[in-house]
Amino acid sequence: MTRFCSQGSSGEIASGHHSSEGGVEMEGRLLNIGFGNTVVVDRVVAIVSPGSAPMKRLKEDAKMAKKLIDATMGRRTRAIIITDSNHVILSGVQAETIAQRFMADSLGKDGDSKIK
């Protein structure tokens, strides 16, 4: 099984894998979280700002549980993304910017938000 990412003609990005039968199974669209990093849109539960004490505790708890993914590329954390697998992803892009990208993806592709 081979994993891949591809960009469609209308600019949407999707990830998936080639099956052993030669077909392609798609998992979903990717959300750009900055500096060349992406997450699967369907796995995102929340996009929050990192400033509050509960978010700092969430970040520390995820680090202790080995579920913290630092995608800041050495920059200051400006957003925390929580996934359905309880992974916590740190991004160097503002939470509002990521939320706008998320909404643009889901509203712009309303009828076909999942590629199968």
Side-chain angles (χ1 to χ4, degrees):
M1 192 174 302
T2 306
R3 296 192 55 75
F4 70 92
C5 291
S6 64
Q7 186 166 3
S9 59
S10 61
E12 76 276 2
I13 300 175
S15 69
H17 60 269
H18 293 282
S19 67
S20 59
E21 293 82 33
V24 175
E25 298 175 29
M26 299 302 286
E27 293 174 1
R29 283 187 173 54
L30 296 177
L31 175 65
N32 181 347
I33 61 168
F35 312 112
N37 299 300
T38 57
V39 296
V40 178
V41 170
D42 295 336
R43 305 293 303 265
V44 174
V45 174
I47 303 166
V48 295
S49 297
S52 68
M55 291 305 108
K56 290 177 183 178
R57 279 194 301 272
L58 176 73
K59 177 179 160 183
E60 197 57 38
D61 291 347
K63 185 176 184 179
M64 298 301 277
K66 305 236 185 261
K67 292 212 169 226
L68 182 69
I69 300 169
D70 187 346
T72 61
M73 306 297 283
R75 292 168 175 84
R76 182 173 159 229
T77 300
R78 297 181 183 271
I80 297 175
I81 301 162
I82 304 164
T83 67
D84 60 355
S85 61
N86 291 326
H87 282 84
V88 175
I89 304 168
L90 308 180
S91 173
V93 176
Q94 291 286 344
E96 295 82 9
T97 304
I98 296 171
Q100 287 174 349
R101 293 174 185 173
F102 184 86
M103 293 304 295
D105 182 71
S106 61
L107 292 176
K109 315 285 192 260
D110 194 27
D112 64 339
S113 63
K114 269 191 172 178
I115 300 174
K116 293 190 178 191

